[in-house]
Amino acid sequence: MHLYHELDAPELPDADFDRLVGELRTLEAEYPELAEAASPSEQVGGTPSVAFAPVRHEVPMMSLDNAFELDELRAWGERLDRRLGDDRTVLGYAVELKFDGLALSVRYEDGTLVRAATRGDGTTGEDVTHTVRTIADIPHTLPEGAPPVIEVRGEAYMRRSAFAALNRAQEADGLKAYVNPRNAAAGSIRQKDAGVAATRGLSFWPYQLGQVVDGPELGSHTETFGFLA
């Protein structure tokens, strides 16, 4: 967990890491007496680095569940039905692509970008506004009529073409190549020098809202996507 979330230097492919965490959760469900509060299955992300100012999320920023098999997806649907109870029904599902990068919270006040933070441990993240401002996909101001406070959550990621170009530059300079685009993106966002991040060709995909003040009533995830667009 430390190598993956905090050092951005994993020793395993992401798929293998996710499967191991899934196996751990299965074992803990079968043998709850062995589960511990410090278990990796209970960790949302990494401990915020002291190198960046802490940002407390107004709305907790949780991680996503994984499902690798159809039976796991069905089990997730059944859990959702039980949580909703008898008086609510799922009418449909929104399906979207999964971008693998670094989860970010981008906050606007009165239409102006004022802060960007990593997820951190889900409650407190790292202030990375200086590097996030260099991502071309993220506007510094919003159109007239935007809510007075709106927190856009999404994924900062590196396209494969940008990742290949970065590793060519690393090799040309005699430096170590990055393991995968996900960790290259995360490492770029956590640069102290925004100028370095600006050269990495980072992208951003918004998929969720956090805190919103005086925003529109949105009845579905699809409506949220429409609003974000």
Side-chain angles (χ1 to χ4, degrees):
M1 294 291 286
H2 178 64
L3 289 173
Y4 186 90
H5 285 294
E6 297 175 36
L7 298 184
D8 300 317
E11 296 178 345
L12 293 173
D14 286 2
D16 292 347
F17 175 85
D18 288 340
R19 288 184 185 279
L20 286 172
V21 173
E23 288 178 17
L24 176 60
R25 286 180 174 142
T26 299
L27 287 170
E28 289 175 339
E30 188 174 352
Y31 304 102
E33 69 276 8
L34 299 180
E36 299 179 352
S39 168
S41 66
E42 298 298 319
Q43 308 303 310
V44 172
T47 303
S49 170
V50 296
F52 301 94
V55 174
R56 186 172 181 83
H57 299 299
E58 297 293 338
V59 178
M61 196 170 178
M62 309 308 292
S63 60
L64 302 176
D65 285 339
N66 289 318
F68 297 100
E69 305 292 341
L70 185 57
D71 286 344
E72 293 176 343
L73 188 60
R74 288 196 181 106
W76 170 79
E78 291 168 0
R79 290 196 301 273
L80 180 60
D81 287 337
R82 288 195 296 271
R83 287 183 183 181
L84 290 174
D86 296 333
D87 58 336
R88 298 179 65 187
T89 303
V90 176
L91 299 178
Y93 295 93
V95 181
E96 60 185 277
L97 295 173
K98 171 66 168 69
F99 289 87
D100 201 13
L102 182 69
L104 291 179
S105 161
V106 184
R107 184 181 179 87
Y108 294 85
E109 295 180 2
D110 297 324
T112 299
L113 193 163
V114 296
R115 189 173 68 224
T118 64
R119 180 169 55 204
D121 61 9
T123 300
T124 303
E126 304 152 324
D127 190 327
V128 288
T129 311
H130 65 299
T131 51
V132 169
R133 287 185 182 277
T134 70
I135 302 177
D137 291 343
I138 298 179
H140 292 187
T141 58
L142 297 180
E144 186 176 348
V149 174
I150 178 171
E151 179 193 350
V152 178
R153 292 178 173 180
E155 201 85 357
Y157 67 99
M158 186 174 288
R159 295 176 182 272
R160 290 177 180 174
S161 56
F163 178 66
L166 173 61
N167 272 344
R168 285 196 297 270
Q170 290 287 108
E171 292 169 1
D173 292 338
L175 301 173
K176 184 179 179 180
Y178 286 89
V179 176
N180 57 53
R182 183 265 169 201
N183 293 94
S188 299
I189 291 293
R190 288 193 174 101
Q191 290 286 331
K192 296 296 289 183
D193 183 356
V196 174
T199 67
R200 298 289 175 86
L202 295 170
S203 299
F204 180 75
W205 181 258
Y207 56 73
Q208 195 177 49
L209 292 170
Q211 184 186 30
V212 180
V213 175
D214 294 337
E217 291 291 331
L218 301 170
S220 70
H221 191 55
T222 301
E223 289 182 16
T224 301
F225 266 129
F227 175 68
L228 286 169

